[in-house]
Amino acid sequence: MKKEPPAASGRFSRRTLLKGAAAGAAAAALAYGLDSCGLAGSSGSGLPEPDKTQMTYRINPNSGDKVSLLGFGCMRLPMSPEATSPAGPQIDEAAAFRLVDYALAHGVNYFDTAYVYHQGVSEEVIGKALKRHPRDSFFLASKMPSSRNPTLDEAEKIFATQLARCQVDYFDYYLLHSISTVEQYRQIYETNGVLDYLLEMKRAGRIRNFGWSFHGDRPMLEYILSRDVHWDCALLQLNYHDLLNRYIPLIFSPYRASEPAPVKWMLETMIPTGIPLLVMEPLLGGRLARLNRKALTILQEENPRAGAASWAFRYVAGLPNILTVLSGMTYMEHLQDNLRTYSPFEPLSEREADALKRALDIFVTQENIPCTACYYCMPCPYGIDIPAVFTHYNRCVDDEYIPKGSRDADYAKARRAFLVGYDRSVPEIRQAFRCTGCGKCTPPCPQRINIPDQLARLGKFVEGLRSEV
Ligand code: SF4
Ligand code: SF4
């Protein structure tokens, strides 16, 4: 094996939710970038089985853990046919077990779950799946839900519940989940005493590596790095889109509620600390597994055999201090595709890196909404399927099916494709125009999208299309 040094609310009934289940599952598939055959990106079909002996590993300098470069993200586990939402609690356990067993057999040993994933059921299912394997054959990560603003008493109960759900005595990696502002951090982790409690758990051996995941602003990153705490790891959103993007479409800025820390600055700040980095959203919620036709053509001209997702995975794994790259793998094809990329890992050549930049320059001129389909904003009390609405819009932008003006030659075709696809992927009762603007969904959004404003804009856009004959 190749080693490397670390370089519902009651207002929306279950019945109406069930009506939208199929569309939700379709939206989840789209969010990952699946084609109609369920294959991730543009690769997968007809390719050989991944090699079981070639996974690339990185060594964590703090603990000596030999961690697989591909980490198994447990936020998008396969759903049962009865599922009401791709982020709901109804996981297809048998399918999840198959994925976990296959991943372990092919060298993946890092599994990342959280208290809130699949409304708590992710921890339970992963606990059951991993219980069937020796405890020293995997590293298990979970997280304290900062979004719940836990008191000390609540945090103690949450941590005990997590150990019980996962059927373990200790977590290999334990993170403060999605820290975002200094005020929030101070309140939960300092004033409430949750940090001291978790450090005590580390001394007691219940936590082996202690860190945080970050969706914050500049002051938050500077503050946490200034604390007198030994951080063993940090989970960051890193992908080539956010790091190399030189063109921000104007449409982005008015819809951001506040500015997150710039990603390049964030990475440059983290590198000198030497803290091992765990990567989330390497595919930007699946969007980098699809790209658009023009961008994809550039990549395919450079390497016809490589799927779009593999470019994104190879880019992030080549950044400094990366310990593992998480991928939320819903289908076996996702897992196999990613295993091929990291068994073994090959950094991008200079020529490939140049092709990636050229493809990105084209991709980012599309006016997408920066939604990663994480479902943190759900459920909406009025039943809007926020990620499905944004996913459909983004997909149409990528596929150039956004009707622009009635004088365009392709206007009628694009209008029809947009509306038919919208009605198929988002039931009318869950569409953008039904948003009341209550704002409940905005604070949890890690991408800081002003969701009500975006939905109002899309609602008007669709209304305009429908009113034309
Ligand atoms: S602002 Fe709209 S989408 Fe967000 S929670 Fe309220 S009704 Fe739902
Ligand atoms: S929380 Fe934000 S990024 Fe996540 S699904 Fe909702 S809108 Fe998209």
Side-chain angles (χ1 to χ4, degrees), residues 228-249:
D228 187 20
V229 178
H230 178 81
W231 302 113
D232 297 301
C233 55
L235 176 58
L236 305 180
Q237 175 170 322
L238 294 173
N239 54 68
Y240 72 83
H241 176 279
D242 294 352
L243 275 161
L244 299 178
N245 195 351
R246 284 168 287 173
Y247 171 80
I248 306 289

Side-chain angles (χ1 to χ4, degrees), residues 76 281 369-378 386-388 390-391 441-449 451:
R76 296 182 174 110
E281 299 294 358
I369 298 163
C371 172
T372 58
C374 68
Y375 280 79
Y376 288 3
C377 55
M378 295 289 280
I386 303 163
F390 290 165
T391 296
C441 53
T442 301
C445 177
Q447 308 306 323
R448 297 170 187 240
I449 300 167
I451 296 169

Side-chain angles (χ1 to χ4, degrees), residues 247-256 364-367:
Y247 171 80
I248 306 289
L250 282 178
I251 201 168
F252 276 18
S253 49
Y255 296 104
R256 285 204 185 269
V364 296
T365 56
Q366 312 285 335
E367 296 187 334

